[in-house]
Amino acid sequence: MNYIIRDAKSHDMEQVLGLIQELATFEKEPDAVEVTVQELIDEGFGENPLFHCFVAEVDNRIVGIALVYYRFSTWKGRSIHLEDLIVKESMRGTGLGSALYTQVLKYAKSKGVRRVEWVVLDWNKNAIDFYEKSGAKLLKDWYLVQMDENGVDKFIAEL
């Protein structure tokens, strides 16, 4: 299969959002996506971009993405967080996911970070197996903690 892995451009964000929605459906959260194409453009391609996105392209169609951003670890310094690695369902098993993953790790190496981190759902056995086979460690004694907008509002209102 002929594919291209490249840096995303602002005009790609409509297709990127389509893949984000596909991932949300795969993760059994089809109504969870609130981000818009315009937000992706503004936040990823403005004066101070908040993320970097790679796309996998086949026949001029985007069929996969990897979206990353910097974090800062008090122990390790600057690190990269892989927010999402998405491959269109019809393209899974073709090597595109591995190519995007490799691109993320090469990017991290070129930026001199000491760590790349991400989260994976505990039921996504294929992804877990892939990550472990690549040498990544799953930290099973940590919990992912989040507070959504409603939780923040409620917390602040109760101060």
Side-chain angles (χ1 to χ4, degrees):
M1 170 194 343
N2 291 331
Y3 61 84
I4 297 168
I5 304 294
R6 63 172 175 80
D7 294 337
K9 307 289 184 212
S10 61
H11 66 267
D12 296 326
M13 291 303 103
E14 187 171 340
Q15 290 183 74
V16 167
L17 182 57
L19 285 170
I20 292 169
Q21 186 60 57
E22 186 174 320
L23 176 67
T25 300
F26 173 76
E27 291 184 352
K28 300 169 181 53
E29 298 265 1
D31 300 321
V33 178
E34 296 178 17
V35 73
T36 66
V37 170
Q38 192 59 53
E39 283 178 289
L40 290 169
I41 292 169
D42 293 347
E43 302 293 4
F45 300 91
E47 192 173 315
N48 296 303
L50 295 180
F51 64 85
H52 187 87
C53 185
F54 299 100
V55 296
E57 205 174 50
V58 173
D59 297 328
N60 296 314
R61 289 192 28 189
I62 295 172
V63 295
I65 70 159
L67 191 143
V68 301
Y69 56 87
Y70 286 112
R71 293 178 68 171
F72 189 82
S73 164
T74 55
W75 290 9
K76 300 293 182 184
R78 193 165 50 135
S79 65
I80 286 181
H81 181 82
L82 171 59
E83 179 65 19
D84 281 318
L85 193 157
I86 308 167
V87 174
K88 194 163 195 50
E89 186 174 12
S90 63
M91 300 301 291
R92 292 184 193 143
T94 64
L96 284 176
S98 180
L100 283 163
Y101 181 74
T102 298
Q103 185 65 34
V104 166
L105 295 178
K106 285 180 177 180
Y107 178 76
K109 182 72 174 165
S110 76
K111 297 300 182 182
V113 300
R114 292 188 182 103
R115 179 169 64 200
V116 180
E117 57 193 18
W118 60 95
V119 296
V120 60
L121 289 167
D122 61 359
W123 54 261
N124 193 342
K125 182 90 169 100
N126 289 338
I128 290 168
D129 290 346
F130 172 80
Y131 294 140
E132 287 183 323
K133 185 177 177 185
S134 79
K137 295 180 205 165
L138 271 72
L139 306 177
K140 297 178 183 177
D141 52 343
W142 288 79
Y143 286 104
L144 173 65
V145 180
Q146 295 181 337
M147 186 179 289
D148 65 14
E149 186 177 9
N150 291 333
V152 171
D153 289 345
K154 184 177 183 221
F155 179 86
I156 297 299
E158 293 175 358
L159 290 178

